[in-house]
Amino acid sequence: MLYVVDHPLIKHKLTIMRKIDTGPKEFRELLREITLLISYEATRHIELYEIEVETPLEKAKGYCINDKDIVIVPILRAGLGMVDGILELLPNASVGHIGIYRDPETLKAVDYYFKLPKITNNSEVFVLDPMLATGVSAVDAISKIKRVGAKRITFISLISSPEGVKALEDTHPDVDIYTASLDRQLNNHGYILPGLGDAGDRLFRTK
Ligand code: URA
């Protein structure tokens, strides 16, 4: 299922990120902030356990999340820009990394890095990539994460294309997608329109 988290604060911040003249410092800060805001919604389903606490007046029933069983997996490299935002909400989560790029000739996913912490069928896994474009990397990353035993996976992006959402929903219908915007389409080079350009280049000032 696709959830577009279009809160006014997110729309405002995303608009600044789209602008061609927004520099890397502001771009990084906004990506972190929007990721935190989307993650607030994307974590709505995580399980709680009950505890009892003492208030200054009496005992009260309370609730805790088990964030030690939460695994965050950024897809390199632009997904790195989202890690700090979600870690602010889930400071005890583990972080794995997956490096994938799309071969421009074959258009297939090429993996160059895969390192995940321990994953069980109870782990809540959040896969991060700011741009859900063709969906090739997201589909491939999630297939690999499932192969090591994950059963509960959520995908978080900043901007998604209709093509990427379809690819992900067709292959992994059990994975919910949280995004700040569903944009119009992909161009011939696999970039999202209107989008914000190359998220990795803008984060790391590599162009
Ligand atoms: N990756 C990006 O960084 N931007 C796009 O528009 C598509 C893929």
Side-chain angles (χ1 to χ4, degrees):
M1 176 109 169
L2 173 71
Y3 297 91
V4 179
V5 189
D6 58 354
H7 188 284
L9 285 172
I10 294 181
K11 284 180 144 172
H12 171 83
K13 290 173 190 292
L14 179 57
T15 303
I16 302 171
M17 290 188 76
R18 289 187 193 273
K19 286 194 204 163
I20 189 169
D21 51 3
T22 297
K25 179 173 188 288
E26 203 178 359
F27 191 90
R28 275 194 294 271
E29 287 168 357
L30 289 164
L31 182 56
R32 183 185 59 74
E33 288 169 17
I34 297 179
T35 304
L36 186 153
L37 295 169
I38 301 176
S39 301
Y40 177 74
E41 281 301 321
T43 49
R44 196 174 269 286
H45 63 283
I46 61 179
E47 275 177 15
L48 294 170
Y49 61 90
E50 280 185 16
I51 57 163
E52 194 174 72
V53 293
E54 291 274 355
T55 78
L57 299 173
E58 60 177 36
K59 288 187 195 314
K61 199 200 289 184
Y63 301 93
C64 284
I65 56 168
N66 178 13
D67 60 351
K68 295 212 176 80
D69 214 2
I70 292 181
V71 181
I72 295 164
V73 186
I75 301 180
L76 304 180
R77 66 185 160 141
L80 289 175
M82 303 173 76
V83 174
D84 287 350
I86 188 165
L87 277 180
E88 280 191 41
L89 299 183
L90 304 166
N92 293 311
S94 315
V95 182
H97 295 88
I98 297 187
I100 299 175
Y101 67 91
R102 192 177 53 127
D103 186 302
E105 306 286 310
T106 64
L107 302 185
K108 293 224 171 84
V110 181
D111 308 346
Y112 63 92
Y113 194 73
F114 186 82
K115 189 145 184 82
L116 297 186
K118 183 167 166 268
I119 288 191
T120 68
N121 53 10
N122 281 322
S123 303
E124 279 290 349
V125 182
F126 292 92
V127 181
L128 313 177
D129 192 342
M131 309 303 277
L132 176 57
T134 60
V136 169
S137 306
V139 165
D140 187 71
I142 291 169
S143 300
K144 293 205 159 57
I145 296 167
K146 282 184 175 173
R147 240 170 266 152
V148 297
K151 294 271 184 284
R152 305 171 184 202
I153 303 175
T154 304
F155 186 81
I156 304 180
S157 71
L158 181 68
I159 299 181
S160 300
S161 73
E163 297 89 335
V165 170
K166 182 170 184 321
L168 195 46
E169 286 184 337
D170 285 352
T171 320
H172 298 295
D174 54 313
V175 173
D176 285 335
I177 304 167
Y178 284 81
T179 193
S181 175
L182 180 61
D183 274 14
R184 194 176 72 248
Q185 66 183 97
L186 292 181
N187 71 9
N188 293 336
H189 304 285
Y191 280 88
I192 300 177
L193 299 174
L196 49 68
D198 189 301
D201 284 341
R202 296 195 62 181
L203 270 173
F204 301 116
R205 213 166 77 75
T206 38
K207 256 197 195 124

